[in-house]
Amino acid sequence: MQRLVAIWCPGILEEGELGREARAFDAVVAALEAFATRVDPVRLGVCAVPTRGPSRYFGGDEVLADMAVEAVAGVGPTGLGPARQPAGVGVADGLFAAVLAARAALNGDRPVIVPPGETPSFLDPWPVAILDRPELADLLVRLGVRTLGGFAALPGPAVLARFGAEGALCQRVARGTEGELPGFRLFFPRAGFPPGNSGPAPAVVTRQAGFWGDSADSDARAVRAVAGVQELLGPEAVVRGRLQGGRGPAQRARFVPWTGPNPGHDSPGHDTTLGGPWPGQVPPPAPTVVFGRPLPTQLTDAAGRSVGVSGGGILSTVPGRLSVARGPWALVTGWAGPWPSDERWWSVRGRRRQARMQVVTTTTTHLLTRERGGWWLEATYD
């Protein structure tokens, strides 16, 4: 189960009319991102930082939790809501226990850290109402079961038969064998405004027109749908495409976790090297199909001689025919390039010499790569 540092900001759990809470939460997340490689906004006023990696790097969960406390405290008055309520920081196995630890930390001046493996005993005294299932909690209380420990002690098959699959899941959470309750994560877009700016937070989602409709309500439905998938499969199960720096189309494509409909330039999907320079980069337009694994290709002249590329980027002969993956030969009617590139030139073992060229046949246009003495089909244009 994933171990997390959870941050609970009671002063900004509810969204106001002017979007101040959204901007405050954005500032909290940005403060954590100054030292954490990943910050998961769970819902407005609640976020989590996976401890694996950062804890080892900084010297333990205690140090990491103290850094989170200091980072959030440094946000300022707007960072913690109009009432300037302090934030709680907790560490535990699983999001549910980590958030409870953060809430418990509000009663003291130190983060609450649940040692690894001790989540069940930490959860024992909490009331069943903390599961946020009023009907389930009411029935359990009437049966004399008032705490998570009492609920966890009930026979699992009996709980499944009496309360169904959701009740059984809640019991696993109470036992500490499941880390998160469904429905707790509520998508909330990062504000996209620097702290102190006025105006509402944007809520624009990238979508396909005609599938969701063409109204603001369809935008919201698309956001809720994506958030629902994240609830079921986890925050990293939904990704969006992003451009990054690189020479070839496969190098420039990158998938990053979906963190909202309109991430800003400081988001994990933004790459500051996008503008280059990238000597040997393929000119626009971009190909429509990029192969994950390039296909072996033969490129010859009209007489059947293989086309090569010199160190200066000059073709050895005029391209005449093309065959992809030992398929039928196609007549070459035009080409552009080649564009040579010398990657990792400072490394003897890692040095990579390539040359790319666009080849037009009677049916389509391909992007070929010359590497390791052969030609490879990297992408295809419409």
Side-chain angles (χ1 to χ4, degrees):
M1 189 182 304
Q2 191 176 40
R3 191 162 176 81
L4 300 167
V5 176
I7 295 86
W8 177 274
C9 304
I12 54 176
L13 292 174
E14 299 293 335
E15 183 181 6
E17 294 182 357
L18 300 179
R20 294 192 183 97
E21 292 79 10
R23 293 191 295 275
F25 185 50
D26 188 59
V28 170
V29 174
L32 296 169
E33 287 176 340
F35 63 87
T37 56
R38 171 181 154 192
V39 180
D40 291 335
V42 177
R43 59 193 301 158
L44 183 60
V46 184
C47 55
V49 175
T51 65
R52 184 179 180 180
S55 284
R56 291 200 302 267
Y57 182 82
F58 291 113
D61 290 347
E62 294 82 1
V63 177
L64 185 62
D66 287 339
M67 292 176 66
V69 171
E70 184 177 354
V72 176
V75 168
T78 50
L80 303 177
R84 301 190 64 175
Q85 293 177 271
V89 176
V91 185
D93 299 328
L95 179 64
F96 180 73
V99 169
L100 292 187
R103 294 175 63 174
L106 295 174
N107 299 323
D109 57 355
R110 294 286 302 159
V112 173
I113 300 176
V114 181
E118 295 188 15
T119 293
S121 58
F122 169 75
L123 295 176
D124 277 354
W126 288 84
V128 291
I130 205 68
L131 293 170
D132 198 25
R133 300 295 191 276
E135 293 183 2
L136 174 64
D138 182 66
L139 184 52
L140 287 173
V141 170
R142 284 191 280 119
L143 292 174
V145 179
R146 301 179 179 278
T147 65
L148 295 184
F151 185 32
L154 295 177
V159 171
L160 177 62
R162 179 64 181 85
F163 302 106
E166 185 172 3
L169 174 59
C170 288
Q171 187 189 41
R172 294 197 298 272
V173 172
R175 288 176 171 176
T177 58
E178 190 80 30
E180 185 174 340
L181 281 171
F184 181 69
R185 291 181 183 268
L186 294 178
F187 168 74
F188 194 88
R190 291 190 57 182
F193 295 106
N197 267 7
S198 60
V204 179
V205 63
T206 304
R207 57 186 174 85
Q208 180 180 354
F211 182 77
W212 291 104
D214 295 309
S215 66
D217 180 65
S218 64
D219 285 342
R221 287 192 294 115
V223 171
R224 289 195 296 269
V226 174
V229 175
Q230 287 183 315
E231 288 181 15
L232 292 173
L233 303 180
E236 294 185 342
V238 181
V239 296
R240 69 162 78 222
R242 278 287 177 268
L243 285 178
Q244 64 180 7
R247 294 176 175 85
Q251 296 173 344
R252 301 190 67 194
R254 177 188 178 195
F255 289 105
V256 298
W258 186 82
T259 56
N262 190 25
H265 288 288
D266 60 343
S267 69
H270 180 68
D271 194 298
T272 56
T273 65
L274 185 61
W278 292 99
Q281 187 179 79
V282 179
T288 54
V289 178
V290 179
F291 298 97
R293 292 185 178 181
L295 302 178
T297 302
Q298 290 179 280
L299 181 64
T300 69
D301 62 10
R305 295 186 296 262
S306 180
V307 177
V309 181
S310 69
I314 305 299
L315 295 179
S316 62
T317 183
V318 177
R321 298 190 307 161
L322 175 73
S323 173
V324 178
R326 298 184 178 181
W329 289 92
L331 181 66
V332 175
T333 60
W335 68 92
W339 299 282
S341 64
D342 192 358
E343 301 179 14
R344 297 182 61 84
W345 50 267
W346 63 89
S347 173
V348 176
R349 291 186 177 181
R351 190 166 188 169
R352 187 181 185 186
R353 291 188 174 94
Q354 293 179 306
R356 292 183 173 85
M357 66 180 298
Q358 295 165 333
V359 175
V360 182
T361 69
T362 53
T363 57
T364 188
T365 302
H366 297 302
L367 177 65
L368 304 184
T369 302
R370 177 74 174 182
E371 187 176 11
R372 303 190 300 274
W375 288 99
W376 304 84
L377 176 59
E378 186 174 4
T380 297
Y381 299 81
D382 255 345

